[in-house]
């Protein structure tokens, strides 16, 4: 299965930090509205998600975006090392550093890290266990609303992840849609787009060059059952109505531009949408 896609002059690579069983809820409780037809379609789209004893098998993927001779951007930082904040429930430790090494990328080569959101399974390698930014030359792009949400909830991640990034001047808080690469002229373009609902400040990443497009969704959809039927809510969405709106918007964009989806948790690195039912590939 190909783990790399060209988008014009850009290359997008899936870096799988971990794989395993979702342990917090059984699938029928995680997606309470899904019916038998939705589950059948989901099975066609992502057969590897269906493990023994009705278990949900999922990947924990990050993505690298490269421009030859130019920038290397990382989208999300996985479950992290042993004892990272996701250790309570995610398969640990992750292997993102090894996956970057296989790609020939050193942590110092990365100039931008986009955090789609600040759940523990997406920020695991953002800072080292000693509390320093893992990617010393990167700006870390986070929606301001996401940090405000964590702060309002009294999350310890403010102290353990956000403050160390702020202390070195590497935290880049953004508001709304922002071009991270290109924008004003023709050529490769990478854009952070707010897709709230899974969390308050969730964002996705649109990648485009010429007529070629790709969408890095983050957790706009976390299981193929939400691709089979975007109405299906996920039990841990902070605002299910907004999450549904964001999911619709992203899928409409992807369909209009024939853009493959790069999701964080489906087992295939990339998946095409289009027609009455999404097609796996
Ligand atoms: Zn996630």
């Amino acid at each position: 299965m190909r783990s790399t896609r060209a988008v014009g002059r850009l290359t997008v690579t899936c870096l799988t930090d971990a794989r395993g069983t979702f342990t917090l809820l059984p699938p029928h409780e995680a997606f309470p509205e899904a019916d038998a037809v939705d589950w059948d379609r989901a099975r066609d789209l992502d057969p590897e998600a269906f493990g023994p004893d009705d278990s949900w098998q999922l990947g924990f993927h990050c993505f690298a975006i490269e421009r030859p001779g130019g920038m290397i951007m990382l989208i999300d930082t996985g479950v992290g090392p042993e004892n990272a904040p996701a250790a309570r429930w995610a398969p640990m430790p992750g292997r993102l550093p090894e996956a970057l090494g296989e790609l020939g990328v050193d942590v110092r080569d990365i100039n931008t890290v986009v955090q789609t959101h600040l759940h523990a399974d997406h920020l695991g390698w953002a800072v080292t266990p000693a509390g320093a930014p893992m990617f010393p030359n990167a700006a870390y792009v986070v929606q301001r609303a996401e940090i405000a949400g964590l702060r309002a909830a009294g999350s310890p991640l403010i102290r353990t992840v956000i403050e160390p990034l702020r202390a070195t001047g590497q935290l880049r808080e953004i508001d709304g849609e922002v071009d991270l690469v290109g924008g004003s002229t023709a050529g490769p373009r990478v854009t952070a787009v707010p897709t709230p609902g899974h969390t308050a400040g969730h964002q996705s990443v649109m990648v485009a060059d010429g007529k070629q497009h790709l969408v890095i969704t983050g957790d706009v959809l976390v299981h193929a059952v939400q691709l089979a039927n975007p109405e299906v809510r996920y039990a841990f969405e902070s605002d299910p109505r907004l999450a549904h709106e964001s999911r619709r918007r992203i899928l409409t964009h992807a369909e209009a531009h024939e853009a493959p989806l790069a999701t964080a948790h489906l087992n295939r690195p990339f998946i095409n949408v289009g027609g009455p039912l999404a097609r796996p590939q």
Side-chain angles (χ1 to χ4, degrees), residues 117 119 121-122 198 219 222 264-265:
H117 62 299
H119 276 168
D121 57 321
H122 293 254
H198 181 76
D219 280 0
V222 298
H265 296 304

Side-chain angles (χ1 to χ4, degrees), residues 76-226:
D76 281 337
T77 54
V79 297
E82 232 167 349
N83 303 324
R88 192 172 57 84
W89 63 275
M92 311 288 277
R95 62 178 306 279
L96 179 63
E98 288 88 339
L100 284 170
E102 288 156 15
L103 199 61
V105 172
D106 185 87
V107 292
R108 288 167 297 202
D109 298 336
I110 291 174
N111 53 18
T112 307
V113 174
V114 178
Q115 291 288 164
T116 61
H117 62 299
L118 297 173
H119 276 168
D121 57 321
H122 293 254
L123 53 71
W125 296 100
V127 298
T128 65
M134 175 73 107
F135 304 96
N137 299 317
Y140 286 68
V141 178
V142 187
Q143 289 284 336
R144 199 179 306 275
E146 186 71 359
I147 295 175
L150 279 194
R151 203 180 290 286
S155 168
L157 294 171
I158 293 287
R159 185 180 51 79
T160 57
V161 176
I162 296 302
E163 290 311 333
L165 299 177
R166 202 191 298 280
T168 58
Q170 288 175 258
L171 180 65
R172 182 179 173 197
E173 291 183 74
I174 61 171
D175 293 299
E177 185 169 321
V178 173
D179 286 319
L180 303 174
V181 172
S184 56
T185 53
R189 186 171 179 178
V190 179
T191 308
V193 176
T195 45
H198 181 76
T199 57
H202 189 280
Q203 59 185 344
S204 303
V205 178
M206 308 290 201
V207 184
D209 190 8
K211 286 188 162 38
Q212 290 187 285
H213 294 253
L214 183 143
V215 180
I216 302 175
T217 62
D219 280 0
V220 163
L221 54 107
V222 298
H223 190 293
V225 77
Q226 293 185 295

Side-chain angles (χ1 to χ4, degrees), residues 260-275:
L261 303 180
T263 74
H265 296 304
L266 272 62
N267 292 278
R268 292 158 193 242
F270 300 100
I271 193 154
N272 282 354
V273 294

Side-chain angles (χ1 to χ4, degrees), residues 2 58 60-61 63 68-69 81 88 107 132 158 166 189 220 234 239 242 257 269:
R2 278 188 303 158
L58 72 171
F60 295 84
H61 310 299
F63 293 87
R88 192 172 57 84
V107 292
I158 293 287
R166 202 191 298 280
R189 186 171 179 178
V220 163
Y234 171 51
D239 183 332
L242 258 185
H257 295 282

